[in-house]
Amino acid sequence: MGSSSMASNRWMFEKMDGFDLSPNSNSDNEEEEEVEEGVHVLAVDDSLADRKVIERLLKISSCKVTAVDSGLRALKLLGLLDDEEDKSSSSSSASSSSSSSSSSSAGFDVLKVDLIMTDYCMPGMTGYELLKKIKESTTFREIPVVIMSSENVMARIDRCLEEGAEDFIVKPVKLSDVKRIRDYMASREVRSLQNQEERSRSNINKRKLQESFDLSLSSSPPSISSYQSRSPSLTPSPPSLLFFTTAVFSLVARFSD
């Protein structure tokens, strides 16, 4: 009876959400070709079955995936783990599954993380606590974080969104959920490129304006005051001019008489 129940659960896992998730469904080479390039997602879930589902759906959507089984392991990969938390993570790492990560930490360091998906209810560190740690980091605060949970609790959803979560997905995660997130990431990348182009054009316009202003200053004619200061002998002083005018009028009056 127990063996038949295990076989039934395994079949449900492999056929979940209408996709064949069994190991023989695709070869390793085909998977590597599918996710050679694309959004790099860090998936965090203490459930092996949920991790496998999320990992496969992300790879179907052309995402590269690094999957870990706890928030502490995620923080360790991100370099955000405190000393005390690091000891706790090291003590529990021996019991972690061999498939808890789809790539080594060395490979993770080479690749850029574009998105973090984490389960809400996990032992040791909840998804909400992981979200807070990420948003407190100056390095990773701009990375979108998606929270997943099997419970549709509005207070929990509001709490995560207020803390900075990008989205909240109610399990089981579906391909439509992953595609929605993938489309959001694509539009986010487009907006980022557009902002970079606008900043670049603004800097170019400012530089051209400054160059034009500097050129106008260097090519402007000298002022009258500067000309007079350079040629004082050519400009009679006001007292001399007044004396000359008075003398001319005196002579004209004398000859008239």
Side-chain angles (χ1 to χ4, degrees):
M1 183 72 177
S3 61
S4 116
S5 175
M6 289 178 61
S8 174
N9 290 338
R10 182 178 177 184
W11 182 86
M12 289 177 64
F13 163 67
E14 293 175 351
K15 296 293 183 180
M16 188 176 295
D17 201 34
F19 295 97
D20 185 5
L21 303 179
S22 60
N24 296 328
S25 60
N26 278 312
S27 67
D28 293 339
N29 292 335
E30 289 176 347
E31 286 187 3
E32 288 298 326
E33 290 177 1
E34 285 181 3
V35 297
E36 195 170 293
E37 290 187 4
V39 175
H40 186 192
V41 181
L42 174 60
V44 189
D45 202 313
D46 62 311
S47 167
L48 175 61
D50 287 347
R51 280 202 310 274
K52 287 297 184 181
V53 171
I54 295 166
E55 189 174 350
R56 181 54 59 87
L57 292 177
L58 287 168
K59 287 183 177 181
I60 289 174
S61 301
S62 301
C63 296
K64 181 170 181 61
V65 188
T66 297
V68 295
D69 59 359
S70 69
L72 292 175
R73 289 178 67 85
L75 290 180
K76 187 173 183 178
L77 287 178
L78 296 173
L80 300 177
L81 201 61
D82 298 331
D83 293 338
E84 294 182 2
E85 294 172 333
D86 196 4
K87 293 177 183 177
S88 175
S89 174
S90 299
S91 64
S92 62
S93 60
S95 62
S96 62
S97 167
S98 61
S99 61
S100 64
S101 175
S102 63
S103 64
S104 65
S105 61
F108 181 87
D109 292 336
V110 175
L111 297 173
K112 179 174 68 72
V113 178
D114 304 299
L115 175 69
I116 298 172
M117 296 181 66
T118 178
D119 185 31
Y120 185 91
C121 293
M122 295 184 295
M125 174 177 286
T126 67
Y128 178 75
E129 292 170 338
L130 176 60
L131 169 66
K132 290 184 66 175
K133 286 281 189 181
I134 293 170
K135 293 306 176 182
E136 289 170 359
S137 166
T138 56
T139 305
F140 298 101
R141 66 174 55 172
E142 298 300 326
I143 294 180
V145 179
V146 175
I147 306 293
M148 304 172 290
S149 176
S150 57
E151 299 178 359
N152 189 6
V153 181
M154 288 305 302
R156 179 181 296 178
I157 296 173
D158 293 339
R159 184 185 184 196
C160 292
L161 295 178
E162 289 174 2
E163 192 61 39
E166 196 64 42
D167 202 349
F168 193 102
I169 297 176
V170 178
K171 290 182 177 180
V173 180
K174 300 178 288 296
L175 183 60
S176 58
D177 296 323
V178 174
K179 285 185 175 180
R180 184 180 74 251
I181 295 171
R182 186 70 178 84
D183 291 342
Y184 161 77
M185 293 298 298
S187 63
R188 186 172 183 264
E189 185 176 356
V190 170
R191 288 196 302 269
S192 177
L193 292 174
Q194 289 175 344
N195 292 336
Q196 290 179 5
E197 291 177 359
E198 289 177 1
R199 286 194 296 269
S200 177
R201 285 196 298 267
S202 177
N203 292 334
I204 291 174
N205 291 336
K206 288 180 180 179
R207 188 167 60 250
K208 287 183 177 181
L209 184 62
Q210 184 63 41
E211 290 174 356
S212 176
F213 180 73
D214 294 340
L215 182 61
S216 66
L217 288 179
S218 62
S219 61
S220 60
S223 61
I224 296 175
S225 59
S226 63
Y227 176 79
Q228 289 177 348
S229 63
R230 288 197 295 266
S231 307
S233 59
L234 298 178
T235 306
S237 61
S240 301
L241 181 60
L242 180 61
F243 175 78
F244 177 76
T245 305
T246 305
V248 170
F249 276 111
S250 299
L251 291 174
V252 171
R254 183 179 298 178
F255 282 110
S256 297
D257 295 338

